[in-house]
Amino acid sequence: MKYCVIDVGSNSVRLMTWADGTTLYKKVCTTRLGEGVAYAPVLREDAMDRTARAIAAFAEEARAEGAFPQTFATAAVRTARNGEEFCARVKKMCGVELDVVSGEEEGELALCGALGGADGSVVDIGGASTEVCARRGGKRDFAVSLNVGAVRLYDRCGDDKARLSVAIDEEIAPLTAVLPPRTYAVGGTACTLAALMQGLEPYDAARVNDFPMTAEKVKALAHTLLALTPSERAALKGMDVRRADIIAGGALLLAKIMEKLGLGVVYASDRDNLEGYLFKKLL
Ligand code: LMR
Ligand code: MG
């Protein structure tokens, strides 16, 4: 049986097609649904329009694959005042029902996608939120969802290193856990950093999965990216050009989370909440 899962993220809408124990392919459409939510918790008209159209196109693709378009939405829809209105609009446009997941559940989905049933931990840096979640002895022992992500940081601070630094320190203050190894980093920011470190072109999920990123390397890359303009970043081998503007703040966020949690290394994982949603809710 074939499954299609759609993640309506705050930076991008993503489709995963899965069958017989493997991910067949993933597709990404960057619509920036979370643009502006850093200022006011309201989804903007143009962002809603772009995103609804991307969902409709992926839903059509899912149906053409013979699968039901199982769709979930994360921080932007969860926190916006007009999130429900957006859900109704999507339903009307293409018949898709959005499952708006809580922050805690979002972390669990990432954990499940990256680790399956094993013990360990995960950091999911998204567009409008960041989840840190851990499992020890088969049980969840830590789960936090922070209102900080690559799109939100870019909206608030642009590429201003000092402002980014202050904003990130403030937002990650609640992170005090000692995470069980091993720790995976999922989401577009982390996977792009792994692709950049290896100069991957084209992007190759098999080479991103389990790629070790040390704290020193993540920090050094964050500072390199901050020193470049978005168009200089876009020219780097391995860069996803659609995130060349927001990647520097996202990289600094990962570097600071690693420092705060004392993580010497994280392993990149292209297996994320899309697989997690399937494993936890559909299989
Ligand atoms: C998101 O929150 O949009 C992420 O899941 C994916 C991304 O593009 O960073
Ligand atoms: Mg996400």
Side-chain angles (χ1 to χ4, degrees):
M1 178 156 166
K2 200 176 261 183
Y3 289 91
C4 284
V5 185
I6 301 169
D7 164 23
V8 182
S10 311
N11 182 52
S12 55
V13 180
R14 303 178 311 131
L15 166 72
M16 174 186 74
T17 301
W18 191 95
D20 303 324
T22 15
T23 301
L24 301 178
Y25 65 86
K26 285 184 176 178
K27 282 188 181 175
V28 184
C29 181
T30 303
T31 62
R32 293 274 161 93
L33 181 61
E35 197 170 68
V37 295
Y39 302 113
V42 182
L43 303 173
R44 291 183 180 174
E45 185 54 38
D46 52 341
M48 287 199 283
D49 186 54
R50 289 193 296 270
T51 307
R53 280 190 280 114
I55 297 168
F58 281 159
E60 198 179 309
E61 182 165 342
R63 291 177 184 126
E65 292 273 6
F68 184 84
Q70 296 284 350
T71 310
F72 67 94
T74 57
V77 182
R78 179 168 69 231
T79 55
R81 277 202 300 268
N82 55 349
E84 272 180 31
E85 186 190 304
F86 176 68
C87 293
R89 178 170 173 162
V90 170
K91 173 100 199 270
K92 193 164 168 213
M93 185 174 179
C94 59
V96 166
E97 199 94 54
L98 297 185
D99 177 8
V100 183
V101 299
S102 69
E104 234 175 65
E105 192 176 7
E106 192 179 348
E108 286 256 10
L109 296 178
L111 190 67
C112 196
L115 284 126
D119 279 4
S121 45
V122 75
V123 177
D124 180 357
I125 295 182
S129 72
T130 292
E131 285 68 39
V132 180
C133 192
R135 191 191 294 128
R136 209 189 298 253
K139 290 204 181 87
R140 193 184 75 192
D141 80 342
F142 186 76
V144 77
S145 178
L146 307 169
N147 268 337
V148 62
V151 174
R152 229 187 251 274
L153 282 172
Y154 186 71
D155 281 352
R156 272 178 73 184
C157 313
D159 280 332
D160 186 324
K161 203 172 175 168
R163 288 182 60 200
L164 280 167
S165 199
V166 172
I168 293 170
D169 287 344
E170 199 179 286
E171 298 290 350
I172 68 172
L175 291 181
T176 51
V178 177
L179 297 185
R182 66 196 229 161
T183 303
Y184 287 90
V186 309
T189 294
C191 290
T192 302
L193 294 177
L196 282 168
M197 285 180 192
Q198 299 177 83
L200 290 184
E201 227 161 69
Y203 180 82
D204 181 356
R207 290 185 60 192
V208 165
N209 279 329
D210 297 302
F211 181 76
M213 301 192 287
T214 62
E216 299 80 61
K217 275 197 185 159
V218 173
K219 190 173 172 187
L221 184 50
H223 288 282
T224 302
L225 292 167
L226 278 165
L228 300 175
T229 64
S231 53
E232 286 167 336
R233 287 175 208 148
L236 297 174
K237 221 169 162 217
M239 179 61 86
D240 170 359
V241 295
R242 297 158 300 185
R243 65 173 72 246
D245 50 353
I246 62 169
I247 188 74
L252 190 62
L253 175 57
L254 180 60
K256 281 185 165 283
I257 288 174
M258 290 179 75
E259 195 174 16
K260 181 105 204 312
L261 292 170
L263 301 170
V265 62
V266 291
Y267 296 85
S269 173
D270 187 87
R271 289 182 287 257
D272 52 30
N273 51 12
L274 282 169
E275 282 87 352
Y277 195 85
L278 175 78
F279 300 157
K280 241 179 115 63
K281 297 202 146 188
L282 306 175
L283 289 185

